[in-house]
Amino acid sequence: MGAPARHSEADFEVAIVGAGFSGLCMAIKLKQAGIDSFVVLEKAEEVGGTWRVNTYPGCACDVQSHLYSYSFDGNPNWSRKFAPWKEIYDYILRCTDEHELRRHIRFGHEVDQAVFDAGPGLWRIRAKNGSTVTAHAFVLGTGPLHVPLSPNVPGLETFQGKVFHSSQWDHDFEFEGKTVASIGTGGSAIQYVPEIAPRVKHLHVFQRTAPWILPKPDREYTKVEKLLFRLSPKLRKLHRGWLYVRNELRVLPIMNPRLARPLEKLAALYIKHCVDDPAIVERLTPDYTIGCKRVLLSNNYYQTFNRPNVELVTDALTEIKENSVVTSDGVERPVDAIILGTGFEADPRNYLDKLTIKGLGGRDLLTRWEHGAEAYLGITVAGFPNMFELVGPNTGLGHNSLLFMIESQVHYIVQCLKLLREKKAKYMNVRTPALRRYNEELEQRLENTVWTSGCKSWYTQEDGKNIAIWPGFSFRYRARTRRVEADHYVWTPHLERTTVQSHGRDAHPHRDQHRRPAFGGVGGAD
Ligand code: N01
Protein backbone atom coordinates (compact mmCIF):
# COMPACT_ATOMS: atom_id res chain seq x y z
CA MET A 1 0.00 0.00 0.00
CA GLY A 2 1.08 3.62 -0.53
CA ALA A 3 2.12 6.15 2.06
CA PRO A 4 0.00 6.20 5.21
CA ALA A 5 -3.02 8.46 5.03
CA ARG A 6 -2.69 11.87 6.58
CA HIS A 7 -4.67 11.59 9.75
CA SER A 8 -2.21 12.88 12.29
CA GLU A 9 -4.99 13.74 14.72
CA ALA A 10 -6.48 10.24 14.71
CA ASP A 11 -5.43 7.53 17.17
CA PHE A 12 -5.91 4.87 14.50
CA GLU A 13 -6.31 4.67 10.77
CA VAL A 14 -9.26 2.29 11.20
CA ALA A 15 -11.63 1.46 14.06
CA ILE A 16 -13.72 -1.70 13.75
CA VAL A 17 -16.76 -2.38 15.91
CA GLY A 18 -17.25 -6.06 16.69
CA ALA A 19 -14.95 -9.08 16.83
CA GLY A 20 -17.17 -11.63 15.13
CA PHE A 21 -16.52 -13.31 11.79
CA SER A 22 -16.84 -10.01 9.86
CA GLY A 23 -14.86 -7.69 12.16
CA LEU A 24 -12.05 -10.24 12.45
CA CYS A 25 -11.95 -10.73 8.67
CA MET A 26 -11.55 -6.95 8.32
CA ALA A 27 -8.73 -6.97 10.88
CA ILE A 28 -6.87 -9.82 9.15
CA LYS A 29 -7.12 -8.20 5.75
CA LEU A 30 -5.95 -4.83 7.09
CA LYS A 31 -2.85 -6.51 8.45
CA GLN A 32 -2.27 -8.30 5.18
CA ALA A 33 -2.59 -4.96 3.37
CA GLY A 34 0.10 -3.50 5.63
CA ILE A 35 -2.25 -1.41 7.78
CA ASP A 36 -1.33 -2.04 11.38
CA SER A 37 -2.90 1.10 12.81
CA PHE A 38 -6.33 -0.25 13.71
CA VAL A 39 -8.37 -1.11 16.76
CA VAL A 40 -11.23 -3.58 17.21
CA LEU A 41 -13.78 -2.53 19.82
CA GLU A 42 -15.71 -5.53 21.18
CA LYS A 43 -18.44 -5.35 23.82
CA ALA A 44 -17.83 -8.87 25.15
CA GLU A 45 -14.73 -10.29 26.79
CA GLU A 46 -13.96 -12.69 23.95
CA VAL A 47 -14.14 -12.86 20.15
CA GLY A 48 -16.62 -14.95 18.17
CA GLY A 49 -19.85 -12.91 17.98
CA THR A 50 -22.81 -15.10 17.18
CA TRP A 51 -20.75 -18.29 17.51
CA ARG A 52 -19.71 -17.34 21.03
CA VAL A 53 -23.27 -16.51 22.05
CA ASN A 54 -25.33 -19.31 20.48
CA THR A 55 -24.51 -22.48 22.38
CA TYR A 56 -27.93 -24.16 22.55
CA PRO A 57 -28.04 -27.97 22.19
CA GLY A 58 -27.79 -28.99 18.54
CA CYS A 59 -26.49 -25.57 17.45
CA ALA A 60 -24.68 -25.99 14.16
CA CYS A 61 -24.14 -24.12 10.97
CA ASP A 62 -26.57 -24.77 8.14
CA VAL A 63 -23.88 -23.90 5.59
CA GLN A 64 -21.12 -26.42 4.88
CA SER A 65 -18.07 -25.71 7.04
CA HIS A 66 -15.55 -25.86 4.20
CA LEU A 67 -17.49 -22.90 2.81
CA TYR A 68 -18.43 -21.31 6.11
CA SER A 69 -14.81 -20.42 6.88
CA TYR A 70 -12.35 -17.91 5.47
CA SER A 71 -11.18 -18.71 1.91
CA PHE A 72 -7.66 -17.68 2.95
CA ASP A 73 -7.64 -19.79 6.09
CA GLY A 74 -8.96 -23.21 5.19
CA ASN A 75 -9.37 -25.90 7.79
CA PRO A 76 -8.73 -29.46 6.59
CA ASN A 77 -9.94 -30.89 9.90
CA TRP A 78 -13.68 -30.12 9.92
CA SER A 79 -15.21 -33.17 11.56
CA ARG A 80 -18.35 -33.14 9.44
CA LYS A 81 -19.96 -31.32 6.54
CA PHE A 82 -21.98 -29.06 8.84
CA ALA A 83 -19.82 -28.45 11.88
CA PRO A 84 -21.32 -27.89 15.33
CA TRP A 85 -20.98 -24.41 16.86
CA LYS A 86 -18.06 -25.35 19.14
CA GLU A 87 -15.86 -26.32 16.21
CA ILE A 88 -16.71 -23.06 14.42
CA TYR A 89 -16.01 -21.11 17.59
CA ASP A 90 -12.65 -22.89 18.03
CA TYR A 91 -11.83 -22.07 14.41
CA ILE A 92 -12.51 -18.36 15.11
CA LEU A 93 -10.28 -18.48 18.22
CA ARG A 94 -7.51 -20.12 16.22
CA CYS A 95 -7.70 -17.50 13.43
CA THR A 96 -7.63 -14.73 16.04
CA ASP A 97 -4.47 -16.10 17.61
CA GLU A 98 -2.70 -17.13 14.41
CA HIS A 99 -3.17 -13.66 12.93
CA GLU A 100 -2.08 -12.05 16.21
CA LEU A 101 -5.22 -9.96 16.45
CA ARG A 102 -5.59 -9.86 20.22
CA ARG A 103 -3.22 -6.92 20.67
CA HIS A 104 -5.58 -4.91 18.45
CA ILE A 105 -8.77 -5.82 20.31
CA ARG A 106 -10.20 -3.87 23.22
CA PHE A 107 -12.63 -6.16 25.01
CA GLY A 108 -15.43 -4.81 27.21
CA HIS A 109 -15.81 -1.84 24.87
CA GLU A 110 -19.43 -1.47 23.82
CA VAL A 111 -19.49 1.44 21.41
CA ASP A 112 -22.44 3.75 22.01
CA GLN A 113 -21.48 6.78 19.93
CA ALA A 114 -19.55 7.57 16.77
CA VAL A 115 -19.46 11.12 15.45
CA PHE A 116 -17.75 12.25 12.27
CA ASP A 117 -15.63 15.37 12.61
CA ALA A 118 -15.31 16.80 9.11
CA GLY A 119 -12.56 19.30 10.04
CA PRO A 120 -9.75 16.80 10.58
CA GLY A 121 -11.78 14.07 8.79
CA LEU A 122 -12.00 11.56 11.58
CA TRP A 123 -14.50 9.57 13.57
CA ARG A 124 -14.75 10.23 17.32
CA ILE A 125 -15.86 6.95 18.85
CA ARG A 126 -17.00 6.46 22.41
CA ALA A 127 -17.58 3.26 24.35
CA LYS A 128 -20.09 2.81 27.18
CA ASN A 129 -17.23 2.52 29.66
CA GLY A 130 -16.33 6.14 28.84
CA SER A 131 -13.20 5.50 26.80
CA THR A 132 -12.81 7.19 23.43
CA VAL A 133 -10.78 6.65 20.28
CA THR A 134 -10.49 8.54 17.04
CA ALA A 135 -10.01 6.90 13.66
CA HIS A 136 -9.83 7.91 10.04
CA ALA A 137 -12.18 5.12 8.97
CA PHE A 138 -15.01 3.51 10.90
CA VAL A 139 -16.09 -0.07 10.14
CA LEU A 140 -19.31 -1.52 11.54
CA GLY A 141 -18.94 -5.26 12.06
CA THR A 142 -21.76 -5.65 14.56
CA GLY A 143 -23.60 -8.29 12.55
CA PRO A 144 -27.31 -8.25 11.90
CA LEU A 145 -28.81 -10.88 14.22
CA HIS A 146 -27.65 -10.29 17.77
CA VAL A 147 -30.44 -8.51 19.64
CA PRO A 148 -32.81 -11.26 20.92
CA LEU A 149 -36.53 -10.77 20.31
CA SER A 150 -39.17 -11.64 22.91
CA PRO A 151 -42.67 -12.62 21.83
CA ASN A 152 -45.24 -9.91 22.34
CA VAL A 153 -47.49 -12.06 24.56
CA PRO A 154 -49.17 -10.46 27.58
CA GLY A 155 -48.02 -11.79 30.92
CA LEU A 156 -44.57 -13.09 29.96
CA GLU A 157 -43.01 -11.00 32.72
CA THR A 158 -45.31 -12.60 35.30
CA PHE A 159 -44.21 -16.17 34.54
CA GLN A 160 -42.72 -17.76 37.65
CA GLY A 161 -40.82 -20.60 35.97
CA LYS A 162 -37.63 -20.50 33.91
CA VAL A 163 -37.56 -18.38 30.75
CA PHE A 164 -34.64 -18.00 28.40
CA HIS A 165 -33.93 -17.11 24.78
CA SER A 166 -32.24 -19.63 22.49
CA SER A 167 -29.18 -17.35 22.34
CA GLN A 168 -28.98 -17.14 26.14
CA TRP A 169 -29.25 -20.84 26.83
CA ASP A 170 -29.20 -21.84 30.49
CA HIS A 171 -26.98 -24.92 30.49
CA ASP A 172 -27.64 -25.45 34.20
CA PHE A 173 -31.37 -25.89 33.71
CA GLU A 174 -32.36 -29.53 34.25
CA PHE A 175 -34.90 -30.51 31.61
CA GLU A 176 -35.50 -33.98 33.04
CA GLY A 177 -39.07 -34.36 34.32
CA LYS A 178 -40.06 -30.82 33.25
CA THR A 179 -42.88 -29.61 31.04
CA VAL A 180 -41.52 -27.07 28.59
CA ALA A 181 -43.04 -24.65 26.10
CA SER A 182 -40.88 -23.74 23.12
CA ILE A 183 -42.01 -20.70 21.12
CA GLY A 184 -40.98 -20.32 17.49
CA THR A 185 -39.97 -22.72 14.73
CA GLY A 186 -37.09 -20.96 13.00
CA GLY A 187 -33.50 -22.05 12.33
CA SER A 188 -32.60 -22.15 16.04
CA ALA A 189 -35.70 -23.96 17.36
CA ILE A 190 -35.56 -26.72 14.77
CA GLN A 191 -32.05 -27.48 16.02
CA TYR A 192 -32.70 -27.55 19.78
CA VAL A 193 -36.22 -29.07 19.78
CA PRO A 194 -35.02 -32.58 18.75
CA GLU A 195 -32.24 -32.35 21.36
CA ILE A 196 -34.41 -31.53 24.36
CA ALA A 197 -37.45 -33.62 23.39
CA PRO A 198 -36.00 -36.91 24.75
CA ARG A 199 -35.06 -35.22 28.04
CA VAL A 200 -38.29 -33.49 29.02
CA LYS A 201 -41.53 -34.87 30.40
CA HIS A 202 -43.63 -32.86 27.93
CA LEU A 203 -42.70 -30.44 25.20
CA HIS A 204 -45.21 -28.07 23.61
CA VAL A 205 -43.84 -26.57 20.39
CA PHE A 206 -45.64 -23.33 19.48
CA GLN A 207 -45.61 -22.78 15.74
CA ARG A 208 -46.90 -19.53 14.26
CA THR A 209 -45.70 -20.14 10.70
CA ALA A 210 -44.47 -23.53 9.50
CA PRO A 211 -40.96 -23.40 8.03
CA TRP A 212 -39.97 -25.32 4.90
CA ILE A 213 -37.37 -27.86 5.95
CA LEU A 214 -35.24 -30.05 3.68
CA PRO A 215 -33.06 -32.99 4.69
CA LYS A 216 -29.57 -31.91 5.73
CA PRO A 217 -26.93 -33.66 3.59
CA ASP A 218 -24.68 -33.99 6.60
CA ARG A 219 -22.08 -36.65 7.40
CA GLU A 220 -18.72 -37.07 9.08
CA TYR A 221 -15.59 -36.57 7.00
CA THR A 222 -13.58 -39.77 6.94
CA LYS A 223 -10.00 -39.92 8.22
CA VAL A 224 -8.82 -40.40 4.64
CA GLU A 225 -10.68 -37.30 3.42
CA LYS A 226 -9.20 -35.19 6.20
CA LEU A 227 -5.72 -36.54 5.47
CA LEU A 228 -6.14 -35.72 1.78
CA PHE A 229 -7.35 -32.21 2.62
CA ARG A 230 -4.28 -31.77 4.84
CA LEU A 231 -1.88 -33.08 2.20
CA SER A 232 -3.45 -31.22 -0.70
CA PRO A 233 -4.82 -27.71 -0.12
CA LYS A 234 -5.72 -27.76 -3.83
CA LEU A 235 -8.07 -30.68 -3.26
CA ARG A 236 -9.62 -28.90 -0.27
CA LYS A 237 -10.17 -25.79 -2.37
CA LEU A 238 -11.71 -27.89 -5.12
CA HIS A 239 -14.11 -29.35 -2.57
CA ARG A 240 -14.95 -25.85 -1.35
CA GLY A 241 -15.51 -24.69 -4.92
CA TRP A 242 -17.84 -27.60 -5.62
CA LEU A 243 -19.90 -26.80 -2.51
CA TYR A 244 -20.05 -23.15 -3.55
CA VAL A 245 -21.30 -23.92 -7.06
CA ARG A 246 -23.93 -26.36 -5.76
CA ASN A 247 -25.23 -23.83 -3.25
CA GLU A 248 -25.22 -21.09 -5.84
CA LEU A 249 -27.69 -23.05 -7.98
CA ARG A 250 -30.19 -22.73 -5.13
CA VAL A 251 -30.68 -19.11 -6.12
CA LEU A 252 -32.54 -20.14 -9.29
CA PRO A 253 -35.87 -21.08 -7.63
CA ILE A 254 -35.52 -18.02 -5.38
CA MET A 255 -35.27 -15.62 -8.29
CA ASN A 256 -37.93 -17.49 -10.27
CA PRO A 257 -40.69 -18.87 -8.00
CA ARG A 258 -42.07 -21.13 -10.77
CA LEU A 259 -38.92 -23.20 -10.46
CA ALA A 260 -39.67 -23.60 -6.74
CA ARG A 261 -42.74 -25.82 -7.30
CA PRO A 262 -40.89 -29.14 -7.80
CA LEU A 263 -38.73 -28.42 -4.75
CA GLU A 264 -41.84 -27.61 -2.75
CA LYS A 265 -43.41 -30.93 -3.74
CA LEU A 266 -40.29 -32.80 -2.64
CA ALA A 267 -40.23 -30.92 0.67
CA ALA A 268 -43.92 -31.75 1.27
CA LEU A 269 -43.19 -35.43 0.55
CA TYR A 270 -40.34 -35.27 3.07
CA ILE A 271 -42.75 -34.16 5.80
CA LYS A 272 -45.07 -37.08 4.98
CA HIS A 273 -42.11 -39.44 5.01
CA CYS A 274 -41.03 -38.31 8.49
CA VAL A 275 -44.31 -37.78 10.36
CA ASP A 276 -46.82 -40.54 11.14
CA ASP A 277 -49.97 -38.54 11.86
CA PRO A 278 -51.51 -37.00 8.68
CA ALA A 279 -53.18 -34.27 10.76
CA ILE A 280 -49.78 -33.18 12.06
CA VAL A 281 -48.30 -33.44 8.56
CA GLU A 282 -50.93 -30.98 7.39
CA ARG A 283 -50.15 -28.52 10.15
CA LEU A 284 -46.41 -28.81 9.53
CA THR A 285 -46.84 -28.08 5.82
CA PRO A 286 -46.25 -24.39 5.01
CA ASP A 287 -48.79 -22.45 2.96
CA TYR A 288 -46.33 -20.13 1.21
CA THR A 289 -43.79 -20.62 -1.58
CA ILE A 290 -40.60 -22.37 -0.53
CA GLY A 291 -37.71 -19.91 -0.18
CA CYS A 292 -39.89 -16.94 0.82
CA LYS A 293 -38.58 -17.46 4.36
CA ARG A 294 -35.20 -19.06 4.96
CA VAL A 295 -35.24 -22.75 3.93
CA LEU A 296 -34.06 -24.81 6.87
CA LEU A 297 -32.16 -28.09 6.97
CA SER A 298 -32.74 -30.89 9.46
CA ASN A 299 -32.70 -34.67 9.64
CA ASN A 300 -34.44 -35.00 13.00
CA TYR A 301 -36.88 -32.13 13.54
CA TYR A 302 -40.03 -33.56 11.89
CA GLN A 303 -39.53 -36.97 13.51
CA THR A 304 -39.76 -35.29 16.91
CA PHE A 305 -43.53 -34.97 16.41
CA ASN A 306 -43.89 -38.77 16.43
CA ARG A 307 -42.89 -38.75 20.09
CA PRO A 308 -45.78 -39.16 22.55
CA ASN A 309 -44.36 -36.42 24.81
CA VAL A 310 -44.21 -33.74 22.08
CA GLU A 311 -47.17 -31.61 20.99
CA LEU A 312 -47.31 -29.25 18.02
CA VAL A 313 -49.43 -26.24 18.97
CA THR A 314 -50.63 -24.04 16.12
CA ASP A 315 -53.23 -21.97 17.98
CA ALA A 316 -51.88 -18.53 18.75
CA LEU A 317 -50.43 -17.81 22.16
CA THR A 318 -52.67 -15.24 23.80
CA GLU A 319 -51.50 -15.07 27.39
CA ILE A 320 -48.79 -16.24 29.73
CA LYS A 321 -49.74 -16.75 33.37
CA GLU A 322 -47.62 -17.43 36.45
CA ASN A 323 -47.29 -21.15 35.69
CA SER A 324 -48.97 -21.73 32.36
CA VAL A 325 -49.47 -20.60 28.79
CA VAL A 326 -52.85 -19.96 27.18
CA THR A 327 -53.80 -20.24 23.52
CA SER A 328 -56.55 -18.62 21.43
CA ASP A 329 -58.77 -21.71 21.74
CA GLY A 330 -58.83 -21.10 25.51
CA VAL A 331 -56.64 -24.10 26.40
CA GLU A 332 -54.29 -23.50 29.32
CA ARG A 333 -51.11 -25.61 29.48
CA PRO A 334 -49.17 -25.71 32.75
CA VAL A 335 -45.41 -25.42 32.07
CA ASP A 336 -42.20 -25.28 34.13
CA ALA A 337 -40.14 -23.43 31.55
CA ILE A 338 -40.48 -21.36 28.39
CA ILE A 339 -37.80 -21.27 25.71
CA LEU A 340 -37.92 -18.35 23.33
CA GLY A 341 -36.82 -19.48 19.88
CA THR A 342 -38.26 -16.23 18.64
CA GLY A 343 -35.29 -14.91 16.70
CA PHE A 344 -33.52 -11.58 16.54
CA GLU A 345 -34.06 -7.98 15.64
CA ALA A 346 -33.23 -7.91 11.93
CA ASP A 347 -33.90 -4.28 11.05
CA PRO A 348 -30.66 -2.25 11.41
CA ARG A 349 -32.74 0.69 12.66
CA ASN A 350 -33.64 -1.42 15.67
CA TYR A 351 -30.48 -3.40 16.33
CA LEU A 352 -28.31 -0.28 15.98
CA ASP A 353 -30.60 1.86 18.13
CA LYS A 354 -28.21 1.79 21.10
CA LEU A 355 -25.43 3.18 18.94
CA THR A 356 -25.67 6.84 17.94
CA ILE A 357 -23.92 7.47 14.64
CA LYS A 358 -23.65 11.02 13.35
CA GLY A 359 -22.23 11.86 9.94
CA LEU A 360 -21.69 15.12 8.06
CA GLY A 361 -23.42 18.05 9.69
CA GLY A 362 -24.36 15.94 12.69
CA ARG A 363 -26.95 13.95 10.69
CA ASP A 364 -28.10 10.88 12.56
CA LEU A 365 -27.87 7.52 10.77
CA LEU A 366 -31.25 6.33 12.04
CA THR A 367 -32.87 9.55 10.81
CA ARG A 368 -31.17 9.00 7.44
CA TRP A 369 -32.76 5.54 7.47
CA GLU A 370 -36.19 6.79 8.48
CA HIS A 371 -37.83 4.96 5.56
CA GLY A 372 -35.60 1.91 5.69
CA ALA A 373 -31.93 1.03 5.90
CA GLU A 374 -29.98 1.35 2.68
CA ALA A 375 -26.34 1.49 1.73
CA TYR A 376 -24.44 1.51 -1.53
CA LEU A 377 -23.43 -2.12 -2.12
CA GLY A 378 -24.60 -2.57 1.48
CA ILE A 379 -21.37 -0.85 2.53
CA THR A 380 -21.39 2.96 2.31
CA VAL A 381 -24.05 5.52 3.22
CA ALA A 382 -24.29 9.03 1.71
CA GLY A 383 -23.41 11.66 4.32
CA PHE A 384 -21.37 9.23 6.45
CA PRO A 385 -17.87 9.56 5.02
CA ASN A 386 -15.27 6.88 5.62
CA MET A 387 -17.90 4.72 7.32
CA PHE A 388 -18.18 1.16 6.05
CA GLU A 389 -20.68 -1.52 6.94
CA LEU A 390 -20.11 -5.25 6.96
CA VAL A 391 -23.20 -7.42 6.34
CA GLY A 392 -25.10 -4.18 5.76
CA PRO A 393 -28.53 -3.78 4.13
CA ASN A 394 -29.37 -6.31 1.39
CA THR A 395 -26.17 -8.30 1.66
CA GLY A 396 -27.50 -11.34 3.50
CA LEU A 397 -27.87 -14.64 1.66
CA GLY A 398 -30.52 -17.32 1.85
CA HIS A 399 -28.67 -19.77 -0.36
CA ASN A 400 -24.93 -19.61 0.25
CA SER A 401 -22.21 -18.69 2.74
CA LEU A 402 -22.33 -15.24 4.28
CA LEU A 403 -18.54 -15.36 4.60
CA PHE A 404 -18.32 -15.06 0.81
CA MET A 405 -20.18 -11.76 1.07
CA ILE A 406 -18.08 -10.61 4.04
CA GLU A 407 -14.83 -11.28 2.17
CA SER A 408 -16.16 -9.32 -0.83
CA GLN A 409 -16.99 -6.36 1.43
CA VAL A 410 -13.65 -6.45 3.22
CA HIS A 411 -11.83 -6.48 -0.12
CA TYR A 412 -13.87 -3.45 -1.23
CA ILE A 413 -13.12 -1.54 1.97
CA VAL A 414 -9.39 -2.21 1.67
CA GLN A 415 -9.58 -0.84 -1.90
CA CYS A 416 -11.32 2.27 -0.54
CA LEU A 417 -8.59 2.79 2.05
CA LYS A 418 -5.94 2.40 -0.67
CA LEU A 419 -7.70 5.01 -2.80
CA LEU A 420 -7.95 7.40 0.12
CA ARG A 421 -4.19 7.15 0.45
CA GLU A 422 -3.49 7.40 -3.26
CA LYS A 423 -5.71 10.42 -3.66
CA LYS A 424 -4.41 11.92 -0.43
CA ALA A 425 -8.06 12.36 0.43
CA LYS A 426 -9.35 13.21 3.87
CA TYR A 427 -12.56 11.37 3.27
CA MET A 428 -14.80 9.76 0.69
CA ASN A 429 -18.55 10.11 0.57
CA VAL A 430 -20.80 8.08 -1.69
CA ARG A 431 -22.80 10.21 -4.08
CA THR A 432 -26.55 10.21 -3.53
CA PRO A 433 -27.34 9.46 -7.21
CA ALA A 434 -25.05 6.42 -7.14
CA LEU A 435 -26.82 5.16 -4.04
CA ARG A 436 -30.24 5.89 -5.57
CA ARG A 437 -29.43 4.09 -8.82
CA TYR A 438 -28.15 1.13 -6.84
CA ASN A 439 -31.36 0.99 -4.79
CA GLU A 440 -33.54 1.22 -7.87
CA GLU A 441 -31.63 -1.66 -9.37
CA LEU A 442 -32.07 -3.69 -6.18
CA GLU A 443 -35.80 -3.03 -6.11
CA GLN A 444 -36.13 -4.04 -9.74
CA ARG A 445 -34.29 -7.29 -9.13
CA LEU A 446 -36.34 -8.04 -6.04
CA GLU A 447 -39.58 -7.79 -8.04
CA ASN A 448 -41.14 -11.17 -8.86
CA THR A 449 -38.71 -13.04 -6.66
CA VAL A 450 -39.90 -15.58 -4.13
CA TRP A 451 -39.58 -12.97 -1.35
CA THR A 452 -42.44 -10.98 -2.85
CA SER A 453 -44.67 -14.07 -3.17
CA GLY A 454 -46.65 -13.30 -0.04
CA CYS A 455 -45.10 -14.38 3.24
CA LYS A 456 -44.01 -12.35 6.23
CA SER A 457 -40.40 -12.76 7.24
CA TRP A 458 -37.59 -10.89 8.95
CA TYR A 459 -36.14 -10.24 5.49
CA THR A 460 -38.70 -7.47 5.02
CA GLN A 461 -39.72 -4.43 7.03
CA GLU A 462 -43.33 -3.46 7.79
CA ASP A 463 -44.01 -1.88 4.37
CA GLY A 464 -42.76 -5.02 2.61
CA LYS A 465 -39.38 -3.58 1.58
CA ASN A 466 -36.71 -6.28 1.59
CA ILE A 467 -33.78 -4.89 3.57
CA ALA A 468 -31.86 -8.07 4.24
CA ILE A 469 -31.18 -10.14 1.16
CA TRP A 470 -28.92 -9.79 -1.86
CA PRO A 471 -31.15 -10.67 -4.83
CA GLY A 472 -29.18 -12.97 -7.05
CA PHE A 473 -25.98 -14.89 -7.46
CA SER A 474 -23.35 -14.08 -4.84
CA PHE A 475 -20.63 -14.04 -7.53
CA ARG A 476 -22.39 -11.04 -9.05
CA TYR A 477 -21.91 -9.24 -5.74
CA ARG A 478 -18.26 -10.30 -5.76
CA ALA A 479 -17.89 -8.81 -9.25
CA ARG A 480 -19.52 -5.53 -8.13
CA THR A 481 -17.19 -5.19 -5.15
CA ARG A 482 -13.97 -6.21 -6.89
CA ARG A 483 -13.04 -2.63 -7.67
CA VAL A 484 -14.21 0.75 -6.40
CA GLU A 485 -15.83 3.00 -8.96
CA ALA A 486 -14.13 6.18 -7.80
CA ASP A 487 -16.58 8.46 -9.58
CA HIS A 488 -19.39 7.12 -7.41
CA TYR A 489 -17.77 8.98 -4.53
CA VAL A 490 -16.84 12.54 -3.70
CA TRP A 491 -13.24 12.66 -2.47
CA THR A 492 -12.41 15.51 -0.13
CA PRO A 493 -8.73 16.36 0.04
CA HIS A 494 -6.40 17.26 2.85
CA LEU A 495 -5.77 20.94 2.24
CA GLU A 496 -4.88 23.61 4.68
CA ARG A 497 -6.73 26.39 2.84
CA THR A 498 -10.40 26.89 3.55
CA THR A 499 -11.49 28.33 0.20
CA VAL A 500 -14.92 26.95 -0.67
CA GLN A 501 -15.51 25.89 -4.25
CA SER A 502 -18.33 24.08 -6.02
CA HIS A 503 -18.44 20.48 -4.86
CA GLY A 504 -20.58 17.36 -4.78
CA ARG A 505 -23.98 18.33 -3.42
CA ASP A 506 -24.34 15.37 -1.11
CA ALA A 507 -20.84 15.92 0.24
CA HIS A 508 -21.98 19.28 1.55
CA PRO A 509 -25.35 18.94 3.13
CA HIS A 510 -24.28 21.60 5.63
CA ARG A 511 -21.86 23.85 3.79
CA ASP A 512 -21.79 26.48 6.47
CA GLN A 513 -20.52 24.06 9.03
CA HIS A 514 -17.83 22.32 6.99
CA ARG A 515 -15.96 24.52 4.59
CA ARG A 516 -14.04 22.26 2.27
CA PRO A 517 -12.08 23.00 -0.89
CA ALA A 518 -12.65 21.04 -4.08
CA PHE A 519 -10.49 18.04 -4.83
CA GLY A 520 -8.60 18.40 -8.09
CA GLY A 521 -10.52 16.58 -10.78
CA VAL A 522 -12.14 13.95 -8.60
CA GLY A 523 -15.59 14.22 -7.16
CA GLY A 524 -17.39 17.25 -8.55
CA ALA A 525 -21.08 17.87 -8.72
CA ASP A 526 -23.61 15.05 -8.80
O1 N01 B 1 -35.03 -16.93 14.44
P1 N01 B 1 -36.13 -16.86 13.29
P2 N01 B 1 -33.97 -18.07 14.74
N1 N01 B 1 -45.45 -16.28 18.77
O2 N01 B 1 -36.43 -15.40 13.16
C1 N01 B 1 -41.45 -17.25 15.81
C2 N01 B 1 -30.45 -18.39 11.23
N2 N01 B 1 -29.76 -19.47 11.81
O3 N01 B 1 -33.26 -17.71 16.00
O4 N01 B 1 -42.24 -17.26 11.31
C3 N01 B 1 -45.10 -17.37 18.11
O5 N01 B 1 -35.71 -17.60 12.08
C4 N01 B 1 -41.37 -16.94 14.35
O6 N01 B 1 -42.62 -17.16 13.75
P3 N01 B 1 -42.98 -16.46 12.32
C5 N01 B 1 -31.87 -18.75 10.93
O7 N01 B 1 -32.01 -19.48 9.73
C6 N01 B 1 -28.68 -19.81 11.13
O8 N01 B 1 -34.54 -19.38 14.66
O9 N01 B 1 -42.48 -15.05 12.42
N3 N01 B 1 -44.00 -17.49 17.38
C7 N01 B 1 -40.30 -17.95 13.92
O10 N01 B 1 -40.82 -19.22 13.78
C8 N01 B 1 -32.44 -17.40 10.88
O11 N01 B 1 -32.18 -16.88 9.63
C9 N01 B 1 -27.94 -20.82 11.56
O12 N01 B 1 -44.42 -16.56 12.20
C10 N01 B 1 -43.22 -16.42 17.28
C11 N01 B 1 -39.36 -17.94 15.13
O13 N01 B 1 -40.10 -17.40 16.23
C12 N01 B 1 -31.67 -16.67 11.97
O14 N01 B 1 -30.50 -17.37 12.18
C13 N01 B 1 -28.31 -21.54 12.71
C14 N01 B 1 -43.51 -15.21 17.93
C15 N01 B 1 -38.14 -17.06 14.92
O15 N01 B 1 -37.37 -17.61 13.91
C16 N01 B 1 -32.43 -16.60 13.27
O16 N01 B 1 -32.97 -17.89 13.57
C17 N01 B 1 -29.44 -21.14 13.42
C18 N01 B 1 -44.69 -15.18 18.69
N4 N01 B 1 -45.06 -14.06 19.32
C19 N01 B 1 -30.16 -20.07 12.94
N5 N01 B 1 -42.53 -14.33 17.63
C20 N01 B 1 -26.74 -21.16 10.76
O17 N01 B 1 -26.34 -22.25 10.80
C21 N01 B 1 -41.66 -14.96 16.83
N6 N01 B 1 -42.07 -16.21 16.61
C22 N01 B 1 -26.07 -20.14 9.90
Side-chain angles (χ1 to χ4, degrees), residues 50-51 54 56 59-63 68 82-83 88 145 149-153 165-167 183-192 206-211 216 288 293-296 316-317 340-344 346 397 456-459:
T50 195
W51 295 104
N54 284 281
Y56 57 78
C59 180
C61 189
D62 58 12
V63 176
Y68 197 79
F82 297 85
I88 301 169
L145 300 174
L149 276 180
S150 272
N152 194 10
V153 184
H165 190 270
S166 60
S167 67
I183 307 176
T185 51
S188 304
I190 67 137
Q191 291 184 332
Y192 69 71
F206 290 84
Q207 170 189 284
R208 188 166 66 181
T209 313
K216 191 174 189 178
Y288 57 86
K293 291 160 92 82
R294 191 179 169 98
V295 179
L296 309 179
L317 263 176
L340 309 176
T342 40
F344 302 88
L397 291 182
K456 191 175 177 307
S457 82
W458 59 261
Y459 293 165

Side-chain angles (χ1 to χ4, degrees), residues 116-127:
F116 186 66
D117 185 343
L122 51 81
W123 282 90
R124 301 189 183 280
I125 301 156
R126 189 186 73 188

